[in-house]
Amino acid sequence: MHRLTLLLLLSVSLFAQKKPITLETMNQGAGRGGRGGGAANWAPDGKAFLFRQGRSLMIYNPATKTSRELVSTEAIDAAAIKPPDETGPFDWTNRRARVSGGIQWSDSGKEILYESSGDLFLIHVDTGKWDQITKTAEIELDPQLSPDGKMVAFRRGYDIYSIDIAAQKETRLTTGGTPTLINGGLDWVYPEELDLSTAFWWSPDSKSVAYLQFDSSREPLYPHEDMLGVRAVYEPERYPQAGTNNADVHLGIVPVSGGPTRWLEVGDTRNSYLIARAGWLPDSKNVYVIRTNRIQNKLEMFSINVESGAPATIFKESDPYWINLKGDARFLPDTKHFLWSSERDNGFNHIFLYSNDGKDVKQLTKGAWEVKNIAGVAPDRVYYTSDEGNTLETHVYSVKLDGGDKRRLDKTPGVHYVSMGPGGSYYLDTHSSLTEPPSTTLHSGDGAELGVYRPADRRQIDEFEILPTEIVTFKTPDGVELHGRLIKPAGFEPGKKYPVIVSVYGGPGVGLPVHNAWPGGVSVDQVYAQHGYVVWQSENRGGMGRGHGFETAIFRQLGVVELADQVAGVKYLISLGFADENRVGIHGWSYGGFMTLNAVLNAPEVFKCGISGAPVTNWMNYDTIYTERYMGIPDENRQAYASTSLPAKAKNLKAKLMIVHNLEDDNVLFQNTLQMTNALQLAGKEFEFMLYPQKSHGVGGIAAKQMNQSMLDFFDRNLK
């Protein structure tokens, strides 16, 4: 009995010795960093992968579970010519556009294309020796090896070039490029909202390049200015706001030996269509285009013969609301079929197998659950992750190409992410749960675990008091089941009432926020909980992951159903008995900033204070592709835009409010905040405001430390 008491006292003492997580802990980056190097870059045969470890490129062999250094990049990086310091207006290239080449294997697996400071190098896998392909002060953008490994294509400035590696001969493939006429490059909105990361593609026979030309000259010009210097610098951004012109996008084919571009007809992209995907069919004679109408409720995949220009429809889809584009066509090794993900079967994302002409189609997965991602393809099987059986988890499955013999390959609860080599011989499974930090294991294609590649990093758990995250389930007044994520405050005492901080995003097009996954160790949520707050985050309708029907409740009324669901979540939390209904705060960024303002203006009886970061305040201000997908064309839906505009509701403000924004936010333009603050001032409302000068959608670096402290101080002033 005495021994048991002693053990309990020791365990309590050991737990108490762990450090609380503070803002200073976050600022110091405590416990960050993984083990085992960077992400896996698989060889074409799927029998090895490349990863970075410090200044070295390493090759891992799954068969032997060993790694070796291929080359130290120190000498390569030193040989690259550093580009000159930027002068003039800022380059507003979207963060999702592929600019750097990173590391690319040749199709033969014998060479690796490596990019450093905008120069290109070819590393020989058998020897580790390397050759420098370019040596220029200008940056070679988005470099891509040809399928035969003999050439590299890239952008320099606003045009496309190719280099014959053996002959060291450079050929300019396009001319006439300008900041508003980009050959092989993208405007701002396409990569942001359609996840189109590149705008040129090698033909499979390595003889031609297909490319998109973006003419953004008719897109609106937003007048950013950098005012940190002695003189203000005008830095305009081409940004198409809802209802305005999109870019004119053209599709061309150019031979890699040089010569005129052959232009192919894809339709009016300024007003009528969006080119969501493009590329080559395996025969090198036809390209494919995946095109939607402007409001994205109709989609068509068609091929175009590059010689005749004749189009041929492969398939069409439509939806009464909008179509979620899931990835791209994935052509199989047989060169006759491709895989396509679609929600057309009862609103749940599933895998379809098509013949290249679209005449034969077979649905490979089916049910009231979502395929999250196609992980890889073996000769007779498709590997994928899905939430089958539990929307809070993601598991690894495979199914035959005839739709039979479906298998679940993992055995552990939680969330699994898969990186699979071509051919399906091996894959890496990164797994976590609410109580287990991420770890990565190596598997054979049949799912058998071969070993641990990267063990869980438990340093934060060992050093800090990480308060547990719980998942709870509740129902809205109209019977929809939702999940919430809850962290109780440090030193929690039953029967005591605590203030609440609600974290919200709430927007469409992204996954739901509550999962049986590692919530992170050192985080601002933990800081808030250590300061005595209940931390709460809940799902709302509109988010992705529970079928299209769950999303479409927000159609043409952004912010209405989402707020009702968030209020239902807070009321459920209060019903548990420890949350103080008179001390509920809320914060969010981007769509979450919109939701925070929406909450304090339209549910003042629930939320007593809020911090709104980078908020959309009027959907007329946001970009075409995102906004029109959910709200329609402004001229056709004026009432929808007017009813969801927040400046018109400034008079409703009763809560304490802080607004935070970068002056040169390229995503949610500062115009939104200026309109909101002006309306609040005219309505005689007091509020707090934090302005930052960064040229991004988020606040980073040293300024983020100051911002986090300001946010914590705001909640302490208004909820305690």
Side-chain angles (χ1 to χ4, degrees):
M1 186 72 176
H2 292 294
R3 184 184 178 198
L4 177 59
T5 302
L6 179 61
L7 287 172
L8 287 171
L9 288 172
L10 283 172
S11 66
V12 171
S13 176
L14 287 171
F15 183 77
Q17 290 172 5
K18 291 186 178 182
K19 303 174 187 175
I21 295 173
T22 65
L23 286 179
E24 187 59 30
T25 308
M26 291 179 58
N27 295 341
Q28 293 171 351
R32 292 180 186 172
R35 298 172 179 167
N41 188 317
W42 288 91
D45 64 2
K47 302 296 178 63
F49 62 80
L50 194 72
F51 65 94
R52 290 180 184 268
Q53 187 166 283
R55 298 295 295 272
S56 295
L57 295 182
M58 309 290 293
I59 291 183
Y60 186 89
N61 185 331
T64 62
K65 291 180 281 188
T66 60
S67 61
R68 67 177 178 88
E69 183 184 61
L70 171 63
V71 65
S72 169
T73 63
E74 190 169 355
I76 301 177
D77 295 337
I81 295 180
K82 304 299 185 289
D85 293 337
E86 290 186 8
T87 58
F90 187 73
D91 177 10
W92 295 106
T93 298
N94 190 279
R95 58 193 166 153
R96 298 182 184 180
R98 192 169 69 202
V99 177
S100 170
I103 303 170
Q104 301 170 46
W105 292 82
S106 66
D107 281 6
S108 68
K110 295 179 179 180
E111 296 88 22
I112 289 167
L113 181 66
Y114 177 81
E115 181 266 338
S116 179
S117 297
D119 278 341
L120 307 179
F121 301 82
L122 197 69
I123 302 170
H124 303 279
V125 174
D126 56 348
T127 64
K129 295 181 178 179
W130 51 272
D131 303 310
Q132 187 160 2
I133 300 174
T134 65
K135 194 168 186 175
T136 66
E138 294 179 277
I139 297 175
E140 279 72 60
L141 300 166
D142 193 11
Q144 300 179 34
L145 270 172
S146 61
D148 64 10
K150 296 179 180 180
M151 304 188 77
V152 179
F154 57 86
R155 284 192 298 117
R156 186 182 291 143
Y158 305 104
D159 282 300
I160 307 173
Y161 296 75
S162 68
I163 288 183
D164 184 309
I165 297 172
Q168 283 290 290
K169 180 185 177 184
E170 181 177 291
T171 303
R172 184 169 183 166
L173 301 184
T174 68
T175 59
T178 71
T180 57
L181 188 69
I182 310 171
N183 291 308
L186 299 150
D187 72 348
W188 184 89
V189 70
Y190 265 71
E192 178 69 24
E193 307 301 0
L194 293 175
D195 288 325
L196 188 62
S197 61
T198 188
F200 71 90
W201 303 268
W202 278 102
S203 62
D205 63 9
S206 300
K207 294 180 179 179
S208 302
V209 169
Y211 70 96
L212 298 178
Q213 181 191 73
F214 274 75
D215 180 355
S216 62
S217 61
R218 295 176 181 84
E219 291 182 340
L221 199 62
Y222 183 83
H224 292 291
E225 274 192 300
D226 185 325
M227 292 184 279
L228 288 178
V230 176
R231 298 289 180 265
V233 177
Y234 182 50
E235 299 183 322
E237 174 191 5
R238 292 287 174 179
Y239 185 103
Q241 293 176 305
T244 66
N245 291 331
N246 283 318
D248 291 291
V249 183
H250 304 100
L251 174 62
I253 310 294
V254 62
V256 296
S257 57
T261 292
R262 179 181 294 112
W263 296 105
L264 305 175
E265 179 59 45
V266 294
D268 169 23
T269 56
R270 190 190 314 169
N271 300 300
S272 302
Y273 297 109
L274 302 170
I275 306 303
R277 299 288 183 270
W280 289 88
L281 290 176
D283 62 9
S284 295
K285 298 177 181 178
N286 297 274
V287 293
Y288 72 90
V289 174
I290 296 172
R291 184 180 72 179
T292 73
N293 61 336
R294 179 155 174 154
I295 59 173
Q296 299 154 75
N297 62 3
K298 296 179 181 179
L299 178 147
E300 178 183 13
M301 181 178 182
F302 58 95
S303 63
I304 306 176
N305 184 276
V306 297
E307 290 296 331
S308 67
T313 297
I314 299 175
F315 70 81
K316 294 182 179 181
E317 293 186 5
S318 63
D319 187 270
Y321 300 99
W322 69 84
I323 292 173
N324 288 312
L325 188 63
K326 306 275 190 168
D328 198 353
R330 185 171 185 143
F331 291 91
L332 299 187
D334 70 2
T335 72
K336 298 178 181 178
H337 297 85
F338 65 91
L339 299 175
W340 176 251
S341 295
S342 172
E343 294 178 340
R344 71 168 185 251
D345 179 25
N346 205 28
F348 291 94
N349 189 54
H350 285 291
I351 304 171
F352 294 79
L353 176 68
Y354 276 92
S355 59
N356 288 353
D357 60 7
K359 294 180 179 178
D360 297 319
V361 58
K362 184 173 186 62
Q363 186 171 348
L364 302 187
T365 62
K366 187 178 183 65
W369 44 269
E370 297 260 311
V371 169
K372 300 297 185 184
N373 183 52
I374 297 175
V377 180
D380 66 340
R381 303 190 73 83
V382 179
Y383 294 82
Y384 62 94
T385 54
S386 88
D387 63 5
E388 182 175 357
N390 187 346
T391 60
L392 298 175
E393 300 191 348
T394 303
H395 294 286
V396 188
Y397 290 83
S398 73
V399 66
K400 282 191 171 182
L401 287 172
D402 63 6
D405 190 29
K406 184 177 72 174
R407 305 174 188 172
R408 177 173 159 179
L409 302 183
D410 72 84
K411 298 179 176 62
T412 51
V415 170
H416 295 256
Y417 296 100
V418 171
S419 172
M420 173 168 276
S425 297
Y426 301 101
Y427 66 89
L428 295 172
D429 177 4
T430 299
H431 161 261
S432 75
S433 68
L434 285 174
T435 56
E436 288 295 320
S439 63
T440 303
T441 48
L442 175 68
H443 297 256
S444 58
D446 61 4
E449 184 176 325
L450 303 179
V452 177
Y453 170 65
R454 187 181 300 168
D457 187 343
R458 305 187 67 84
R459 287 175 289 175
Q460 291 185 355
I461 294 176
D462 295 339
E463 184 177 357
F464 297 101
E465 180 189 0
I466 298 176
L467 300 168
T469 297
E470 306 171 39
I471 293 178
V472 297
T473 302
F474 64 95
K475 286 189 176 182
T476 65
D478 55 347
V480 177
E481 185 174 272
L482 299 173
H483 300 103
R485 182 177 69 88
L486 166 67
I487 305 175
K488 293 176 182 176
F492 177 78
E493 299 176 18
K496 184 177 178 180
K497 297 279 190 178
Y498 292 92
V500 177
I501 294 178
V502 177
S503 174
V504 66
Y505 178 76
V510 299
L512 295 168
V514 182
H515 296 97
N516 182 19
W518 181 242
V522 174
S523 68
V524 74
D525 283 347
Q526 290 288 326
V527 173
Y528 291 151
Q530 287 288 347
H531 272 253
Y533 293 100
V534 173
V535 177
W536 172 257
Q537 185 176 32
S538 73
E539 300 173 336
N540 57 248
R541 279 168 283 185
M544 298 179 76
R546 290 179 58 181
H548 198 42
F550 185 85
E551 299 174 274
T552 56
I554 68 169
F555 188 59
R556 304 286 169 90
Q557 53 173 3
L558 290 180
V560 177
V561 175
E562 302 98 298
L563 179 56
D565 288 352
Q566 290 293 326
V567 168
V570 171
K571 289 183 176 179
Y572 168 79
L573 178 66
I574 291 168
S575 75
L576 298 179
F578 52 81
D580 189 340
E581 65 179 336
N582 295 313
R583 293 187 292 164
V584 179
I586 185 171
H587 74 103
W589 201 271
S590 194
Y591 200 99
F594 161 74
M595 282 294 295
T596 297
L597 278 173
N598 188 25
V600 297
L601 294 175
N602 292 314
E605 72 285 358
V606 177
F607 300 98
K608 300 306 182 286
C609 68
I611 301 174
S612 172
V616 177
T617 63
N618 185 331
W619 290 105
M620 290 290 291
N621 297 335
Y622 201 55
D623 73 57
T624 50
I625 296 179
Y626 180 99
T627 309
E628 293 168 6
R629 181 188 303 153
Y630 307 116
M631 292 286 284
I633 305 296
D635 283 346
E636 300 169 3
N637 298 278
R638 287 288 175 186
Q639 181 56 38
Y641 282 84
S643 65
T644 56
S645 176
L646 298 179
K649 300 174 183 177
K651 63 181 183 300
N652 295 348
L653 182 67
K654 297 178 182 178
K656 299 296 184 181
L657 172 66
M658 174 188 284
I659 301 176
V660 185
H661 213 149
N662 277 322
L663 179 64
E664 290 193 273
D665 189 329
D666 68 323
N667 186 336
V668 178
L669 303 174
F670 185 73
Q671 177 184 24
N672 287 275
T673 283
L674 190 61
Q675 291 174 1
M676 190 72 234
T677 56
N678 178 61
L680 290 168
Q681 291 160 355
L682 294 178
K685 300 296 182 178
E686 295 185 359
F687 60 96
E688 298 181 33
F689 179 47
M690 292 298 298
L691 177 65
Y692 296 92
Q694 297 179 17
K695 306 172 197 294
S696 65
H697 187 38
V699 176
I702 295 175
K705 302 176 184 179
Q706 185 270 348
M707 180 183 71
N708 286 330
Q709 185 66 61
S710 298
M711 292 172 64
L712 179 60
D713 292 345
F714 175 87
F715 283 129
D716 283 349
R717 285 196 307 274
N718 294 297
L719 294 177
K720 287 188 175 179

